Amino acid sequence: MVSRRNIRVKVMQVLYMLGSQHEMNEKIKATKVLQTRLADITNLFLYLLHFLIKTALYAETDAKQRASKHLLTREDLNVNKKISANLLLQKILKNESFKNSKPIDFDDTNQQVKKIYQNLAATETYQKYIGTQTREKNTEAAIIKFIFTDLMLPDENFTSHLEEHFMNWDDDAGLMNQLMLHFLQKPDSYNLELLLGDDKWQFAKQLLETVIDKKELITDMIKPRLKNWDSERIALLDMILMRMGVCEFLFFETIPPKVTINEYIDLAKEYSTEQSGHFVNGILDNIHKELLASNKIHKIDFKQ
């Protein structure tokens, strides 16, 4: 579920954290930091998923709490629990890897769940959902997605809650939205224990360590292409992205060069300056052409 692009972002962030001093004695430290940051992705995603499920199931809790009151109102006696048997919800609950996942709960988790559920119950969307007797697949999926995209993510109290407990929330908010929507499409086909598989970890580790190990070699390849640019004044992030790109050209034989160039152009546009996409594109394209001309790029059939 975690893509190579997500991996590249994490490697980029760790390298940027190290600054310009990518010395060999930093490699072990950097690898540990990377491993922690990738583990944080899994922990955050599982928390969001469990929170989403707890919110939908809170209809049962709400009904029980209302029924235990001494003076019952009509509303107390008629809490609609339709969402607790939601078809998409049941698929998730039957997912073996979800059953095996260990839910994270903080002291204020249940309080946050209650608030989001109360917000849900007050929406027209929810009232329309519980007012319909039938269970159509699209409608069942839509209400679960609605809780996540329209109630959880935009809620400032909830995002503050996430920021308090997950240091990586700001960096990974967009990724979490992407991962969750993909998961909700076909929850029964995903193994949450392999959210970050061994192959992705090996790619991440190899990319990070290669950029550190080959820093001098790659920098010497980049500097002559900078022409009138002072390499010491180039944005650090741009240099990191270019080093990562050249490392993929030379040492990652299954990744097509066009894919590498396009990925780092996009990352430069998103994370660096306005001019960085064009700048990184020009340098990587130039180096790629010269490496091809000198027969220094040897890619295997990546399609196999």
Side-chain angles (χ1 to χ4, degrees), residues 222 234 238-246 279-280 283-284:
I222 294 173
I234 300 295
D238 292 350
M239 287 297 292
I240 289 171
L241 292 171
M242 289 187 290
R243 288 177 187 140
M244 291 171 68
V246 176
F279 176 64
V280 169
I283 300 298
L284 289 183

Side-chain angles (χ1 to χ4, degrees), residues 21-39:
Q21 304 301 315
H22 299 171
E23 304 299 335
M24 284 295 294
N25 60 1
E26 293 290 332
K27 187 166 68 174
I28 295 176
K29 173 185 174 183
T31 303
K32 289 181 178 178
V33 172
L34 178 62
Q35 191 170 25
T36 298
R37 292 204 172 191
L38 291 174

Side-chain angles (χ1 to χ4, degrees), residues 149-178:
T149 60
D150 290 56
L151 297 177
M152 289 169 58
L153 295 187
D155 189 279
E156 292 184 3
N157 288 327
F158 179 64
T159 54
S160 295
H161 163 77
L162 292 174
E163 289 170 358
E164 180 182 351
H165 297 293
F166 296 95
M167 293 179 61
N168 58 316
W169 168 248
D170 284 341
D171 289 334
D172 293 338
L175 170 59
M176 290 301 114
N177 184 50
Q178 174 191 358

Side-chain angles (χ1 to χ4, degrees), residues 43 46-52 54-55 102-113 161 165-166:
N43 292 335
L46 288 177
Y47 181 75
L48 289 170
L49 181 58
H50 279 278
F51 190 100
L52 174 61
K54 286 168 74 80
T55 301
K102 297 179 180 179
I104 304 171
D105 265 341
F106 303 106
D107 291 341
D108 55 343
T109 295
N110 289 335
Q111 180 184 0
Q112 289 291 332
V113 167
H161 163 77
H165 297 293
F166 296 95

Side-chain angles (χ1 to χ4, degrees), residues 217-254:
L217 170 67
I218 301 304
T219 302
D220 288 344
M221 293 176 65
I222 294 173
K223 280 185 177 182
R225 279 82 178 177
L226 299 179
K227 296 182 180 179
N228 297 326
W229 292 85
D230 181 353
S231 62
E232 298 302 321
R233 299 181 66 182
I234 300 295
L236 174 58
L237 198 55
D238 292 350
M239 287 297 292
I240 289 171
L241 292 171
M242 289 187 290
R243 288 177 187 140
M244 291 171 68
V246 176
C247 281
E248 286 192 21
F249 288 157
L250 293 173
F251 306 109
F252 290 77
E253 59 183 6
T254 63

